[in-house]
Amino acid sequence: MSFQSYITNIEQKTGKSLDEIILHIQSSNILSESKRPMEIIKYIKSEFDLGLGHARAIYAVLKSKS
């Protein structure tokens, strides 16, 4: 599965754009509370009801914007 396919699937599954998801994560306390990638990925999985691969894709985008 290509990276763009992950993003498209995320948007379809959550009903939110990637930018909306990133803003939600940035406005939460998770980034200031935890610097450990797996803790942030776990948060993304639970907050948006996504699998590991999709959460990692969001995390990659999040880190590239930081």
Side-chain angles (χ1 to χ4, degrees), residues 3 22 41 44 54-65:
F3 189 77
I22 296 297
I41 290 168
I44 294 167
H54 291 105
R56 284 183 174 177
I58 292 171
Y59 180 77
V61 172
L62 181 66
K63 292 312 284 182
S64 74
K65 291 183 180 255

Side-chain angles (χ1 to χ4, degrees), residues 15-64:
K16 298 179 185 299
S17 71
L18 185 59
D19 289 335
E20 290 174 310
I21 293 170
I22 296 297
L23 286 173
H24 178 89
I25 295 167
Q26 290 172 334
S27 67
S28 73
N29 290 331
I30 189 66
L31 298 178
S32 61
E33 291 175 0
S34 177
K35 300 293 183 201
R36 301 179 83 185
M38 284 311 294
E39 290 177 10
I40 297 168
I41 290 168
K42 183 178 176 183
Y43 169 83
I44 294 167
K45 283 177 59 178
S46 67
E47 190 70 17
F48 299 101
D49 192 29
L50 296 170
L52 181 59
H54 291 105
R56 284 183 174 177
I58 292 171
Y59 180 77
V61 172
L62 181 66
K63 292 312 284 182
S64 74

